[in-house]
Amino acid sequence: ETGVTQSPTHLIKTRGQQVTLRCSSQSGHNTVSWYQQALGQGPQFIFQYYREEENGRGNFPPRFSGLQFPNYSSELNVNALELDDSALYLCASSSNRDYLGNEQFFGPGTRLTVL
Amino acid sequence: KQEVTQIPAALSVPEGENLVLNCSFTDSAIYNLQWFRQDPGKGLTSLLLIQSSQREQTSGRLNASLDKSSGRSTLYIAASQPGDSATYLCAVNSNYQLIWGAGTKLIIKP
């Protein structure tokens, strides 16, 4: 069974640029959630995708957008990067059979630095 | 609005001690609660998951309890080791998302 994978591991961008982060969910999982973790803080929920549709969203502006593909992998896109977007971006997958209460399994994260 | 608080923010103890980390949440309507470990600059390692209908879960030297009515969970670590040094995060599953505490940074001194 393959776990959750994320790419790239590290990324450096400059203000105003756009970035795409990728996540492959664990085998058998159809739900992907994205979280942002700033240094020294707990993760913050960005959004969740279930069967290729956005299923919920946290308090993030529209320049944070996502996609989920038929194989349940996912992308997180951030436009017009700001310095405060520097963080560890975590992807989690779950099977969602019971919809809301399933355990989420996390990938290793992508470290984004915005200069 | 669900809020999660972890106390203490940091803890330093000698090797071999038993210790307790605390997590509190404001809304008892949760589906489950997870405890995670995070090493510096790394991702998250899931330690224990407690469903809302359960009172506790155990894995090796770790024991997590959940009192949903009072909005509290504790993570008990027995016979601490230097390798247990990390940041410990709790997260409550509220609707479709996890709501996180800021973590407790644990240092175990040899």
Side-chain angles (χ1 to χ4, degrees):
Chain A
E1 182 179 273
T2 305
V4 180
T5 61
Q6 292 185 242
S7 63
T9 304
H10 295 88
L11 202 53
I12 299 175
K13 292 284 188 179
T14 56
R15 274 188 305 174
Q17 284 188 312
Q18 178 267 341
V19 68
T20 297
L21 309 182
R22 294 179 174 83
C23 171
S24 291
S25 59
Q26 186 166 312
S27 176
H29 289 182
N30 58 15
T31 302
V32 173
S33 302
W34 286 92
Y35 296 85
Q36 180 197 65
Q37 186 180 23
L39 198 61
Q41 299 180 21
Q44 299 289 319
F45 174 73
I46 303 175
F47 44 54
Q48 182 183 88
Y49 279 83
Y50 172 61
R51 292 185 176 177
E52 302 179 56
E53 293 190 0
E54 188 176 291
N55 189 45
R57 189 178 183 93
N59 190 26
F60 280 81
R63 60 189 185 84
F64 285 78
S65 63
L67 283 173
Q68 188 179 32
F69 300 99
N71 66 355
Y72 304 127
S73 65
S74 177
E75 286 183 355
L76 164 64
N77 299 290
V78 187
N79 294 322
L81 283 167
E82 301 176 359
L83 296 180
D84 285 349
D85 296 334
S86 295
L88 180 67
Y89 288 84
L90 296 159
C91 165
S93 74
S94 58
S95 64
N96 222 49
R97 284 175 302 172
D98 297 326
Y99 190 48
L100 296 174
N102 277 325
E103 182 175 4
Q104 296 187 21
F105 294 82
F106 283 81
T110 293
R111 173 77 60 188
L112 173 65
T113 302
V114 182
L115 302 176
Chain B
K1 178 186 172 185
Q2 179 74 269
E3 293 182 359
V4 179
T5 303
Q6 290 188 247
I7 294 173
L11 183 63
S12 179
V13 301
E15 179 180 4
E17 283 200 5
N18 303 323
L19 55 98
V20 174
L21 307 182
N22 297 292
C23 173
S24 62
F25 47 95
T26 55
D27 187 346
S28 62
I30 66 171
Y31 291 92
N32 56 47
L33 183 147
Q34 281 182 261
W35 282 93
F36 294 85
R37 168 186 173 138
Q38 188 170 37
D39 293 286
K42 302 293 185 181
L44 301 167
T45 300
S46 179
L47 298 173
L48 289 164
L49 168 73
I50 311 177
Q51 297 291 354
S52 61
S53 58
Q54 298 175 320
R55 294 300 298 263
E56 65 178 331
Q57 282 287 337
T58 299
S59 175
R61 294 183 293 110
L62 305 179
N63 175 277
S65 68
L66 174 64
D67 184 341
K68 207 172 68 162
S69 62
S70 67
R72 293 180 183 177
S73 176
T74 61
L75 178 67
Y76 175 83
I77 302 176
S80 59
Q81 303 171 358
D84 295 330
S85 298
T87 296
Y88 290 79
L89 294 147
C90 73
V92 299
N93 186 330
S94 188
N95 278 333
Y96 41 77
Q97 60 178 285
L98 294 180
I99 309 294
W100 301 75
T104 294
K105 184 175 182 179
L106 177 63
I107 296 174
I108 307 298
K109 297 175 288 186

